[in-house]
Amino acid sequence: MDFENIQKIIKDMEAEISAFGEHEEELEPYQSVAEFNANIDALKDKIQKDGDETVFFKNVFNTQDYYENISSYLSQIQVSIEQKIKKSGVSPQANYNLQQSLKLVTETIDLLVIEYGNLVKNDKKNFFSQNGTRRNKIRLTLSNLVELKKKIENIIYRDSKIVSNVLLKEFKTLYTFFANCIKVAKSRQDELLLVEVAGISDRLMSMIYPVFRNKSLSVSELIYYYLFFELRELKASAIGNRLA
């Protein structure tokens, strides 16, 4: 294990996350669970009563060039949501980079823990400790990595709450369009469109998911579970429960 390189990576990451600043104020969910559930139930009921896709959707999107029209609009929705997320203080690209950094830090911690355990076992076999210096380096590095991990997790956690609130504001439009897309794609047996809708749902879920890190959200924050669940259900509707 190259400790000098790891320390350099830690310093680089520390410098990168320092740009995010400190946020003391607590973010409140945009909606309550009761309000969200009432809205989504009414929306599902309306979509079910409509049977086929809405007249507007049929006239605008379900044409000969339906795939190009729908795919283009899906791209516009993504861009619009990303812009609103950015205006709320979160960069989707920076969020993705942080999640990749967190993955790297976690994997490095796991490797160091394994190596430390192996060194302890080897030293127990010998009368004199032969790996004391290396064990000390690992302990110090682990301490720095654990602290860095906490900082990254805190930023991603806050970002996920901001993203969730943006999606809650846009969810009625998102859900209606996605549900109609799925109807058209299934009626035409268009697997490519179904996969595209599922892919967008997946990307949105990946930005929400870090909010569950504590596994003990307050009652007011349970709305994030419901939002995540509805997106997962849309994905399952597109490509099946087994793949969702």
Side-chain angles (χ1 to χ4, degrees):
M1 190 70 69
D2 187 344
F3 292 104
E4 288 186 7
N5 187 48
I6 293 175
Q7 290 297 336
K8 181 181 182 303
I9 291 173
I10 291 173
K11 287 182 179 179
D12 290 343
M13 287 187 182
E14 287 276 9
E16 184 179 345
I17 65 177
S18 66
F20 288 88
E22 297 291 333
H23 299 279
E24 298 296 333
E25 72 277 11
E26 187 64 27
L27 286 170
E28 293 296 326
Y30 172 72
Q31 278 182 314
S32 68
V33 170
E35 186 181 1
F36 179 80
N37 283 343
N39 289 340
I40 196 68
D41 287 345
L43 187 58
K44 287 180 179 179
D45 187 55
K46 183 180 182 303
I47 291 172
Q48 186 176 13
K49 286 179 179 177
D50 286 339
D52 296 330
E53 66 273 12
T54 64
V55 174
F56 170 79
F57 195 94
K58 186 180 294 185
N59 291 337
V60 177
F61 296 106
N62 196 0
T63 61
Q64 193 64 33
D65 300 323
Y66 78 98
Y67 181 81
E68 289 78 8
N69 292 337
I70 292 174
S71 184
S72 174
Y73 196 74
L74 282 171
S75 297
Q76 291 177 40
I77 287 178
Q78 279 188 277
V79 171
S80 175
I81 289 176
E82 286 186 0
Q83 289 301 322
K84 288 173 182 176
I85 289 172
K86 287 178 181 178
K87 285 183 180 180
S88 298
V90 176
S91 165
Q93 184 59 52
N95 179 275
Y96 173 79
N97 293 341
L98 279 174
Q99 293 202 41
Q100 295 302 111
S101 296
L102 180 60
K103 181 180 179 183
L104 174 62
V105 169
T106 301
E107 289 174 350
T108 304
I109 289 174
D110 291 341
L111 289 173
L112 286 174
V113 168
I114 292 172
E115 182 176 352
Y116 188 84
N118 289 335
L119 291 176
V120 171
K121 289 179 182 178
N122 289 335
D123 281 345
K124 284 183 177 180
K125 296 176 183 178
N126 301 291
F127 186 76
F128 295 104
S129 173
Q130 298 177 339
N131 300 298
T133 301
R134 190 167 182 82
R135 283 163 57 185
N136 288 336
K137 284 184 178 181
I138 292 177
R139 279 199 298 267
L140 176 61
T141 304
L142 279 173
S143 176
N144 293 335
L145 284 171
V146 169
E147 185 64 27
L148 177 62
K149 183 182 178 183
K150 288 179 181 177
K151 291 179 180 178
I152 296 175
E153 284 178 337
N154 286 337
I155 296 171
I156 293 176
Y157 174 69
R158 181 180 174 80
D159 280 2
S160 66
K161 292 175 76 172
I162 292 173
V163 171
S164 296
N165 279 335
V166 171
L167 293 179
L168 283 170
K169 293 177 184 178
E170 303 296 319
F171 195 70
K172 182 177 179 180
T173 301
L174 272 176
Y175 191 93
T176 302
F177 190 78
F178 281 22
N180 279 292
C181 282
I182 292 169
K183 284 182 181 180
V184 171
K186 286 186 174 180
S187 69
R188 294 180 181 246
Q189 298 182 328
D190 191 330
E191 293 186 2
L192 184 59
L193 180 55
L194 290 171
V195 169
E196 191 168 346
V197 172
I200 296 173
S201 301
D202 213 32
R203 284 192 288 278
L204 296 176
M205 285 190 290
S206 71
M207 295 187 73
I208 298 171
Y209 189 75
V211 82
F212 307 135
R213 65 166 189 165
N214 292 332
K215 298 183 180 179
S216 58
L217 293 177
S218 64
V219 174
S220 66
E221 293 177 326
L222 289 176
I223 181 65
Y224 302 133
Y225 278 110
Y226 287 88
L227 174 62
F228 187 88
F229 174 80
E230 292 299 340
L231 282 169
R232 189 174 62 184
E233 287 296 292
L234 277 172
K235 181 183 176 184
S237 177
I239 58 175
N241 285 296
R242 185 175 62 84
L243 295 176

